[in-house]
Amino acid sequence: MKTHCFAVVALLLVVLPNNIVNGKSVPLELSLGKISQKANNMKWKNLKNNIKNNIISELDRDKMKAGFQNIVKLLPESEQTYDDVKKTTKQLLDTLPMFAKENIQDKSTDPTVFMSDRLPSNSRYMASVGNGYLSTVVYSDTVYMNGVYNGFLRESHRARIPSTNSIQMSLAGKGVGDSQQSYALDVKKGVFFHRITTSDVVVEQRVYAHQYYTRLLVSDIIISRQSVSTSPITVNLQTNYGPESNDFDFTKNPPHQGIRAMHGPIKTAETSTSGKPVVFVYWTEVPNNLTLPASQQSQRWTFLTSMALDDNEAIKFYKLGIQLLADDDKLYNSHVSAWEYKWNHGRVDLEGNLNLAKAIYGSMYYILSSLPPLSTDESFKFPFYGLSPGGLAQGAQGQDYQGHVFWDMETWMYPTMLMFYPSLAKEMLLYRTVHLDSSKQNAKDFGCNGAKFAWESAYTGHEVDPAPDTRDFEQHITGDVGFALQQYIAATRDTKFLNSQRGFETIKSIADFWQCRAKWSTERNAYTINHVMGPDEYHQNVNNSVYTNVVAKISLNLPYYAANLINSTVTEDWKNIADNMYIPFDKEHQYHPEYDGYTNGTTVKQADVILLGFPLMYNLSDTVRRNDLVYYQQHTDSHGPAMTWGMFAIGWLELGEEQKANDVFNQSFANIQEPFKVWTEISDGSGAVNFCTGMGGFLQAILFGYGGFRIHLDKLEFSPVLPPSTTRFNITGLNYLDSSLDFVISEDNVIVTMTSHSAGAAELTLVYNGQQTPLQTGKPVKIARGKAKIVPSTTFVSAKTW
């Protein structure tokens, strides 16, 4: 993923008489486009992208101009190397208001509630609500729908629907000056609250994207009298529809009985054959104010928006919402119940460290709110179009990766979801299998057999990455999809997915692609893969990226395991390539150089080589694992993207180095913006928001690092330790082979309880310290804290570890 590094437009456009690219002076008059063409160093390209996406659009604002001018005055005039620019950028970044750290606190002591008496001044850090079908940043002028993009191929981006349900309220009349305000995101309920309280009245607003009736966006306003006062109470309303959308040709219908409507297609299809989705929107007209009559104690007003890709469906959901409103508070309660159902099927609770507990709940919430519901009517279900780095609430043109789907979904967000919600993990994989034909066409266009998954994909699965370097070279995404498939099958043994949902076909197509890419080298006496880019995007078009070669090796072995599960057979050619794949290794220093020709001391952008140990679980000695960690921790850009530090923490925990793990794990918290626990891509507040990729890496550090869980083809291992400053570590609803498991971890003990066991599922046995204990529903098993494993019965289909 093309991470934004720094955000100081002055550095490239105004101050420096010359820009330094690869150590050479480049005339300042080069445009951004020319800089992109001239700069072979990926670091400078990322800097350019960040400037373009995050700053230029803000320069017409007075406050941005002021911050910009401050930087111009403070920067030295001498030429600077990239590292000098990076250092100066860090020192001066806070002069830009949009990135300034704000002294705003979360005042709630409930780990599931994030509350403040004011909103962040930077709207980028506002909370969002969503349900996988639609999502919006609270009070923004935009709603996005799952899978709805506008723009041809590399111009494709999430299509903006003007917000018909963005309502801010204020209290009118006397007593306003004595009012108290609170704003809260309750992630347990999936609701954003605004409360105004005086001695006479409480006004409460509830904003939510309905978790069961997924086409509905709801805003409730409740005025409740608190005293014997009999005066009417008025609340003013301000809407934020925003400008008309540049992404749709909407036609508006005239208001009818308080209901408004519009519909229209996107303006530009993603491909010449993909068509233009039409969106239908119905919403409740919003008045300028609401008044509680003198004779009433309390009243609730509800404003509904229903949107769908079918007119009848949009009308149906709007009418459903109206019907449920007539039945007391059933619309709201059904939403809260659906979120409760979701949390009951998977969550992590900590005791002793409130900030960490909140960070976990916030990260889970933002990812889950961009995924489909667990419980909904079969007729309400919808095709899922993947999870982007900024979630469903982000993705405007030129911002937050335009809502595209990268390797981030499978590598960073997917693993934790798989452990708790295998059905949602499957939805992520179905996005890939449904678009398998597009991926086969991508491979054909590249000159290969099999399937080549797009580095950036959107509606069709075709490549929509505007940057040729990542588009052409970052082919490891195809292996990342393959590894995600392996983990899913190991955790579920879902043969229906393999047989009838193109799972096995996808696995074989991925192997075909790597067979095409791997070439025999007589010099290496092994298969090599040239002209690629690993996760470290500072270095493109390299040969034998160690990460790429290992993930390709795994992909080439996977068809044999999958074939064994469904009694099929595959060619032996793939295994021969896998067994003879070249893996770069420095025998003298006992570590893995990142690629052929990697120079000792070269800075890398993010976690790359260390991913061999986890998540790939490539066979490494403790010495080599340690050497990789030590070396790359010293040479990874300290201002790189958020997900990196969780991977270092996992590595140190594997080696029993808890203090080193804690130190690097704590770096993640710098990316959380208060009070609503919104993550930014870079710790200084720049880059994409709300950065689900970073949340995914953080959650993996919790579950696979401190929890110590590892999904193998034939077992589930765990070796838990308590996270920093915690006294108890509870994992609820971990799903393995159709059984639900709870883990209660304390300083000395672990209690494992099977809470459900599906009919026909494998019998599970807990193995600890040589003792085997069959797990039975509702019967806790207590063991000393240490390394243990859960294995399926021998009568269940066996799994060979390749």
Side-chain angles (χ1 to χ4, degrees):
M1 195 173 68
K2 300 182 292 298
T3 303
H4 309 311
C5 292
F6 306 99
V8 183
V9 67
L11 295 179
L12 287 184
L13 299 182
V14 175
V15 177
L16 301 181
N18 291 283
N19 300 300
I20 309 302
V21 178
N22 291 337
K24 298 179 180 179
S25 295
V26 178
L28 179 64
E29 60 268 18
L30 284 176
S31 67
L32 286 173
K34 290 181 179 178
I35 290 174
S36 180
Q37 295 170 11
K38 295 278 186 180
N40 293 321
N41 189 320
M42 193 65 187
K43 294 187 291 187
W44 283 97
K45 292 184 180 180
N46 287 328
L47 177 55
K48 181 271 300 183
N49 285 337
N50 193 45
I51 292 166
K52 179 180 178 182
N53 293 342
N54 288 330
I55 298 297
I56 290 177
S57 63
E58 303 287 341
L59 288 181
D60 58 339
R61 301 182 186 178
D62 290 340
K63 66 176 185 178
M64 290 305 304
K65 288 181 180 177
F68 178 81
Q69 290 165 356
N70 287 339
I71 289 184
V72 171
K73 294 175 183 176
L74 292 170
L75 277 172
E77 295 183 358
S78 60
E79 291 186 351
Q80 301 178 42
T81 64
Y82 179 85
D83 288 339
D84 291 332
V85 171
K86 179 174 68 177
K87 182 178 179 180
T88 305
T89 301
K90 183 62 181 171
Q91 292 171 344
L92 300 178
L93 202 54
D94 283 347
T95 65
L96 278 174
M98 73 181 298
F99 296 126
K101 286 288 185 181
E102 194 170 357
N103 184 22
I104 185 168
Q105 295 181 341
D106 172 8
K107 297 184 176 182
S108 171
T109 57
D110 184 333
T112 66
V113 176
F114 315 146
M115 183 174 68
S116 178
D117 56 9
R118 61 189 175 95
L119 297 174
S121 58
N122 189 338
S123 61
R124 298 170 75 247
Y125 304 154
M126 270 299 294
S128 61
V129 294
N131 56 27
Y133 188 81
L134 56 84
S135 188
T136 185
V137 174
V138 176
Y139 301 143
S140 76
D141 64 4
T142 297
V143 179
Y144 291 122
M145 280 181 63
N146 163 65
V148 180
Y149 295 84
N150 180 52
F152 186 73
L153 288 178
R154 290 153 198 171
E155 296 297 321
S156 177
H157 57 276
R158 288 206 194 279
R160 175 184 170 266
I161 303 168
S163 180
T164 56
N165 208 298
S166 180
I167 306 168
Q168 286 189 274
M169 63 179 194
S170 59
L171 193 59
K174 65 178 183 178
V176 175
D178 297 327
S179 65
Q180 293 183 330
Q181 306 257 3
S182 70
Y183 302 88
L185 177 66
D186 187 326
V187 300
K188 185 177 181 181
K189 296 177 179 178
V191 179
F192 184 87
F193 291 92
H194 176 203
R195 291 187 182 94
I196 305 173
T197 304
T198 74
S199 58
D200 294 328
V201 64
V202 173
V203 186
E204 179 178 83
Q205 181 184 26
R206 308 183 303 206
V207 181
Y208 55 98
H210 206 287
Q211 185 66 197
Y212 189 87
Y213 302 104
T214 50
R215 280 60 166 179
L216 294 180
L217 187 62
V218 186
S219 185
D220 294 323
I221 297 178
I222 305 165
I223 305 177
S224 301
R225 201 180 297 278
Q226 295 296 100
S227 69
V228 295
S229 168
T230 57
S231 300
I233 298 171
T234 299
V235 173
N236 294 327
L237 304 181
Q238 182 178 351
T239 59
N240 185 20
Y241 179 88
E244 296 299 334
S245 175
N246 293 322
D247 297 320
F248 287 92
D249 288 318
F250 275 128
T251 299
K252 290 184 179 179
N253 298 346
H256 178 67
Q257 296 181 347
I259 302 172
R260 305 201 62 180
M262 64 183 178
H263 70 279
I266 60 168
K267 290 189 174 182
T268 307
E270 190 167 289
T271 70
S272 58
T273 60
S274 60
K276 298 180 180 181
V278 179
V279 169
F280 297 85
V281 186
Y282 291 85
W283 73 96
T284 311
E285 196 164 18
V286 181
N288 292 327
N289 53 65
L290 305 172
T291 298
L292 180 69
S295 59
Q296 283 186 235
Q297 191 69 20
S298 179
Q299 185 172 338
R300 182 189 71 236
W301 291 261
T302 297
F303 302 94
L304 295 179
T305 290
S306 175
M307 58 180 64
L309 296 174
D310 175 83
D311 193 22
N312 291 330
E313 186 174 281
I315 294 172
K316 170 186 172 182
F317 275 87
Y318 190 88
K319 290 180 177 178
L320 268 173
I322 296 297
Q323 291 170 11
L324 290 166
L325 287 174
D327 188 0
D328 195 21
D329 219 4
K330 192 172 182 179
L331 183 65
Y332 174 75
N333 290 335
S334 60
H335 164 78
V336 172
S337 294
W339 265 106
E340 182 181 19
Y341 182 85
K342 215 168 196 179
W343 288 119
N344 286 343
H345 281 73
R347 67 180 189 272
V348 174
D349 293 285
L350 300 180
E351 295 179 12
N353 190 334
L354 180 61
N355 288 336
L356 181 54
K358 282 175 174 280
I360 293 169
Y361 265 107
S363 298
M364 291 282 287
Y365 164 79
Y366 284 118
I367 294 176
L368 287 172
S369 63
S370 289
L371 291 171
L374 281 184
S375 61
T376 191
D377 188 289
E378 193 68 28
S379 65
F380 297 171
K381 292 190 175 179
F382 52 87
F384 179 63
Y385 283 88
L387 191 55
S388 64
L392 184 53
Q394 312 289 343
Q397 186 169 21
Q399 297 178 22
D400 302 309
Y401 300 107
Q402 306 191 113
H404 294 170
V405 181
F406 295 72
W407 77 310
D408 303 50
M409 181 170 75
E410 284 84 6
T411 303
W412 300 105
M413 302 171 239
Y414 165 92
T416 301
M417 297 300 106
L418 172 62
M419 297 300 286
F420 289 120
Y421 312 104
S423 64
L424 297 184
K426 185 175 183 177
E427 291 283 353
M428 298 185 197
L429 296 180
L430 288 173
Y431 171 74
R432 300 300 189 180
T433 62
V434 164
H435 290 126
L436 179 59
D437 291 340
S438 297
S439 300
K440 288 182 176 182
Q441 185 62 49
N442 294 339
K444 184 177 180 180
D445 293 344
F446 188 75
C448 274
N449 298 324
K452 178 181 182 289
F453 287 94
W455 179 243
E456 297 185 31
S457 60
Y459 179 58
T460 63
H462 288 288
E463 182 63 77
V464 294
D465 182 0
D469 37 31
T470 48
R471 181 175 69 233
D472 294 342
F473 299 124
E474 213 149 353
Q475 299 159 32
H476 66 79
I477 187 172
T478 299
D480 302 327
V481 174
F483 186 72
L485 288 164
Q486 175 174 298
Q487 295 300 84
Y488 177 74
I489 297 166
T492 67
R493 310 281 171 86
D494 186 348
T495 55
K496 176 185 176 182
F497 172 72
L498 290 173
N499 281 319
S500 61
Q501 295 175 303
R502 304 190 80 178
F504 190 44
E505 182 185 357
T506 302
I507 288 169
K508 292 187 293 182
S509 298
I510 289 171
D512 273 336
F513 175 75
W514 290 121
Q515 181 177 12
C516 171
R517 289 293 288 115
K519 305 299 181 185
W520 181 258
S521 167
T522 54
E523 178 186 357
R524 301 285 189 189
N525 196 33
Y527 284 94
T528 59
I529 302 176
N530 295 334
H531 307 298
V532 295
M533 182 193 299
D536 169 22
E537 292 172 329
Y538 288 172
H539 304 96
Q540 73 274 24
N541 195 11
V542 302
N543 294 337
N544 294 307
S545 151
V546 67
Y547 176 87
T548 302
N549 286 20
V550 169
V551 83
K553 179 183 177 79
I554 292 170
S555 298
L556 288 159
N557 273 322
L558 179 58
Y560 303 97
Y561 173 62
N564 180 52
L565 292 177
I566 59 174
N567 297 315
S568 185
T569 58
V570 293
T571 176
E572 288 296 313
D573 293 346
W574 296 327
K575 191 173 188 307
N576 176 57
I577 298 171
D579 288 346
N580 292 282
M581 181 68 69
Y582 170 63
I583 307 299
F585 183 69
D586 185 326
K587 291 184 178 179
E588 179 183 356
H589 299 100
Q590 289 292 293
Y591 91 113
H592 290 92
E594 191 177 274
Y595 50 84
D596 282 357
Y598 173 81
T599 304
N600 195 322
T602 301
T603 298
V604 305
K605 173 188 164 185
Q606 63 187 53
D608 186 309
V609 172
I610 66 164
L611 300 179
L612 270 59
F614 185 86
L616 299 186
M617 295 181 288
Y618 185 62
N619 188 21
L620 303 174
S621 68
D622 285 353
T623 297
V624 172
R625 179 71 160 134
R626 182 182 302 276
N627 290 345
D628 285 348
L629 289 167
V630 169
Y631 177 80
Y632 287 103
Q633 190 168 331
Q634 293 174 348
H635 298 292
T636 298
D637 192 333
S638 61
H639 301 298
M643 63 278 193
T644 289
W645 315 118
M647 296 301 106
F648 278 104
I650 291 172
W652 288 121
L653 287 165
E654 279 182 358
L655 298 174
E657 298 273 7
E658 289 185 38
Q659 189 56 55
K660 288 184 178 179
N662 292 347
D663 291 343
V664 73
F665 173 72
N666 287 333
Q667 288 184 244
S668 300
F669 286 88
N671 295 72
I672 299 176
Q673 309 299 328
E674 297 295 350
F676 302 123
K677 310 297 182 267
V678 169
W679 281 65
T680 55
E681 186 172 7
I682 309 301
S683 59
D684 57 35
S686 62
V689 294
N690 190 356
F691 196 49
C692 292
T693 306
M695 300 177 202
F698 167 78
L699 290 172
Q700 287 188 59
I702 293 294
L703 196 60
F704 301 101
Y706 292 100
F709 289 96
R710 296 291 184 275
I711 306 171
H712 295 278
L713 297 179
D714 56 351
K715 60 182 175 291
L716 175 68
E717 289 183 337
F718 60 98
S719 180
V721 298
L722 291 175
S725 304
T726 62
T727 55
R728 198 176 183 89
F729 182 15
N730 295 347
I731 298 169
T732 300
L734 191 143
N735 198 293
Y736 180 59
L737 297 178
D738 263 347
S739 290
S740 186
L741 305 167
D742 290 354
F743 296 79
V744 178
I745 302 157
S746 59
E747 182 65 37
D748 300 318
N749 302 307
V750 179
I751 300 173
V752 183
T753 306
M754 179 187 287
T755 57
S756 69
H757 181 74
S758 300
E763 299 297 327
L764 300 179
T765 299
L766 175 63
V767 181
Y768 172 75
N769 201 23
Q771 295 185 333
Q772 299 186 17
T773 305
L775 294 176
Q776 300 178 46
T777 304
K779 295 186 177 181
V781 178
K782 185 176 182 179
I783 60 174
R785 188 169 62 82
K787 191 170 185 177
K789 61 184 178 181
I790 296 172
V791 297
S793 61
T794 55
T795 57
F796 197 63
V797 62
S798 62
K800 178 179 178 181
T801 302
W802 298 97

